[in-house]
Amino acid sequence: MSKTLFLVFDQEVVDRYTEHYFKLHTRARKAPIDRPIHPSINQWMILPRMQMNQLKQKWKAFIVWWVKDLGYQDMKLDKFEIDVKIYMPTKRRSDPDNFSPKFINDGFTEAGLIIDDDGEHLKKLSLSTAYDKARPRTEVTIKILD
């Protein structure tokens, strides 16, 4: 029988991470993550390489913190499917394929939640978007396969 993990990060989670981040980085002035939505490929692919890597590292650190906060670190999931649903704060048209969860999956790997996000382990990846003005968020459902 399959088991499913349902993970949600919203602005409350981002704000808790920001508080944690500023305790560690006392000289920092800018929050590393500003909203609970993975950056669009249209945003991060145009950045200079150094800025792209910085963004990736910020997101990886956030996801590692979040996984540990949920108590899911070192689960080392072997075979699984991931469904990512992003709830946007506006009705502006958005293409789900532009929100590839690259940084999220890298964080899952770094935290030990999954072994890797390669084709041997990640059997299916689904992306979708929806609208929720009151509570923009990202929902990640991980179906653990036998």
Side-chain angles (χ1 to χ4, degrees), residues 134-145:
R135 188 172 168 241
R137 65 192 177 279
T138 298
E139 296 179 349
V140 181
T141 305
I142 302 174
K143 182 179 177 185
I144 303 165
L145 306 174

Side-chain angles (χ1 to χ4, degrees), residues 9-11 14 33-38 59 86-87 136-138:
F9 65 90
D10 55 13
Q11 194 60 48
V14 171
I33 308 296
D34 59 348
R35 63 188 198 145
I37 297 169
H38 189 289
W59 268 86
I86 301 169
Y87 288 85
R137 65 192 177 279
T138 298

Side-chain angles (χ1 to χ4, degrees), residues 4-6 8 11 22 25 29 39-40 47-50 54 62 68 80 84 91 96 107 110 115 119-120 141 143:
T4 301
L5 300 177
F6 183 67
V8 178
Q11 194 60 48
F22 284 137
H25 305 277
R29 296 290 169 248
S40 162
L47 294 174
R49 187 77 175 149
M50 281 184 61
Q54 288 173 344
F62 165 62
K68 289 180 179 178
F80 51 89
V84 178
K91 289 185 180 180
E110 182 77 19
I115 292 175
E120 181 181 339
T141 305
K143 182 179 177 185

Side-chain angles (χ1 to χ4, degrees), residues 2-145:
S2 297
K3 181 180 175 187
T4 301
L5 300 177
F6 183 67
L7 302 88
V8 178
F9 65 90
D10 55 13
Q11 194 60 48
E12 186 269 330
V13 174
V14 171
D15 292 346
R16 283 193 301 116
Y17 175 70
T18 300
E19 186 178 318
H20 165 79
Y21 177 85
F22 284 137
K23 284 180 184 174
L24 294 178
H25 305 277
T26 56
R27 300 183 74 144
R29 296 290 169 248
K30 186 175 184 303
I33 308 296
D34 59 348
R35 63 188 198 145
I37 297 169
H38 189 289
S40 162
I41 198 168
N42 294 331
Q43 295 169 311
W44 60 267
M45 279 303 292
I46 63 170
L47 294 174
R49 187 77 175 149
M50 281 184 61
Q51 289 178 349
M52 186 189 313
N53 285 338
Q54 288 173 344
L55 182 63
K56 180 179 176 180
Q57 293 307 317
K58 287 176 183 179
W59 268 86
K60 187 173 10 174
F62 165 62
I63 297 299
V64 167
W65 172 86
W66 179 50
V67 168
K68 289 180 179 178
D69 188 58
L70 293 170
Y72 292 145
Q73 73 274 13
D74 299 323
M75 287 185 73
K76 303 278 188 214
L77 301 179
D78 185 24
K79 305 255 187 286
F80 51 89
E81 297 174 351
I82 295 179
D83 177 66
V84 178
K85 187 163 190 174
I86 301 169
Y87 288 85
M88 307 301 281
T90 68
K91 289 185 180 180
R92 184 176 174 201
R93 198 178 125 230
S94 60
D95 298 338
D97 60 328
N98 287 344
F99 291 93
S100 168
K102 170 75 176 139
F103 305 154
I104 295 172
N105 290 345
D106 288 349
F108 286 168
T109 303
E110 182 77 19
L113 173 59
I114 62 176
I115 292 175
D116 201 355
D117 61 346
D118 62 5
E120 181 181 339
H121 303 287
L122 175 57
K123 298 301 181 181
K124 182 178 173 185
L125 176 63
S126 301
L127 306 170
S128 60
T129 58
Y131 166 69
D132 189 341
K133 181 179 181 176
R135 188 172 168 241
R137 65 192 177 279
T138 298
E139 296 179 349
V140 181
T141 305
I142 302 174
K143 182 179 177 185
I144 303 165
L145 306 174

